[in-house]
Amino acid sequence: MSDVLTGMSRAGTMAGRSIRISGRNTDAFITSLVLPVMLMLVFVYLFGGAIHTGTAYVTYVVPGILILCASFGGATTAVGVSEDLKGGIIDRFRSLDVGGTAILAGHVAASALRNIASTVLVLGVALLIGFRPSPTFAGALAAVGLLLVFLIAISWLSAAFGVLARTPETAGGFTFFMTFLPYPSSAFVPIDSMPTWLHGFAEHQPVTSLIESLRGLLLNESVGTAPWTALAWCAGILTVAVALSGTLFGMRTR
């Protein structure tokens, strides 16, 4: 029990360190907050009039923007982990008996806190431009829980990629991949409007079930089995990512 508490304490310390570093890197922090909002405004005001979804476009697109926001924010974890490995600070941490799990968990926790702030900002702007969710209390809790689980899973996967990448620039490529993933899904346009050959991937990729779950839960509509599918995807990603990041970290710092 004491080992668990010690590990949690060290992870908390590492999370605090990552947050302080984010605060000093003002440009990156502002980008992580503003970019999802800008994308939402672009889609709603520039493209929304040409996209027919059967409802107000802002109502349709906000769940997808929330996932895009989480994907972008979680993926930046890779850069932070890579910078730590390249800068040599990891050796100092290990000399203080701080294990790899605590270091990586600190990055993931900091990512979660940063993205909570970004998500709140996106929702605030969405309400100002016409988004009107009507969830039940249970539905709101379920939506928040799903979003948080996805964010943690993506952050751990990003941490694994950050350990694998040899330079922060290479790790930054993961950010591009993760921010691209919501586009071939139901985030911004109905899947039926896409080319037929793309339907299979768009319907069954990880973020589609999550977006459909958030959309249904926030609007108090039927969600079917989508939340369970989304949880299964998140659990699978998280399990693989935690195991992979630990193994790769041990290999890099041996």
Side-chain angles (χ1 to χ4, degrees):
M1 185 65 178
S2 61
D3 291 341
V4 174
L5 292 175
T6 299
M8 292 177 63
S9 176
R10 289 172 177 169
T13 300
M14 293 295 102
R17 169 184 172 268
S18 296
I19 291 172
R20 287 192 296 272
I21 291 174
S22 297
R24 297 188 192 109
N25 191 354
T26 308
D27 292 345
F29 184 67
I30 291 177
T31 298
S32 67
L33 291 176
V34 173
L35 181 60
V37 172
M38 294 300 297
L39 286 173
M40 178 172 63
L41 295 177
V42 165
F43 273 99
V44 170
Y45 289 114
L46 298 186
F47 304 143
I51 300 175
H52 303 288
T53 61
T55 185
Y57 188 65
V58 66
T59 301
Y60 182 88
V61 80
V62 166
I65 293 293
L66 293 177
I67 297 302
L68 183 66
C69 176
S71 298
F72 177 79
T76 57
T77 308
V79 178
V81 171
S82 182
E83 287 176 343
D84 276 356
L85 287 166
K86 184 179 180 181
I89 191 66
I90 299 298
D91 293 333
R92 184 176 180 182
F93 288 150
R94 290 175 67 83
S95 70
L96 298 173
D97 198 27
V98 179
T101 301
I103 295 171
L104 297 177
H107 278 285
V108 171
S111 172
L113 291 174
R114 288 193 302 266
N115 279 277
I116 289 172
S118 182
T119 299
V120 169
L121 179 61
V122 168
L123 280 175
V125 175
L127 291 172
L128 290 175
I129 63 175
F131 180 57
R132 296 293 180 267
S134 54
T136 62
F137 180 72
L141 287 180
V144 171
L146 279 173
L147 193 59
L148 188 59
V149 170
F150 173 72
L151 176 58
I152 292 172
I154 289 302
S155 295
W156 271 108
L157 183 61
S158 180
F161 192 86
V163 176
L164 182 64
R166 293 295 173 178
T167 65
E169 291 76 18
T170 303
F174 188 73
T175 302
F176 171 79
F177 171 75
M178 287 310 305
T179 53
F180 171 77
L181 193 59
Y183 287 92
S185 73
S186 61
F188 304 111
V189 298
I191 291 176
D192 289 344
S193 68
M194 299 179 185
T196 305
W197 57 267
L198 191 56
H199 286 187
F201 176 78
E203 289 173 354
H204 301 293
Q205 63 133 312
V207 301
T208 294
S209 58
L210 186 62
I211 291 167
E212 293 299 323
S213 298
L214 292 181
R215 189 172 284 134
L217 291 169
L218 291 176
L219 300 178
N220 196 20
E221 298 175 351
S222 175
V223 292
T225 60
W228 300 109
T229 302
L231 278 177
W233 270 112
C234 290
I237 292 171
L238 182 60
T239 300
V240 172
V242 171
L244 183 61
S245 61
T247 301
L248 291 172
F249 189 89
M251 294 172 62
R252 281 287 304 271
T253 58
R254 185 177 301 166

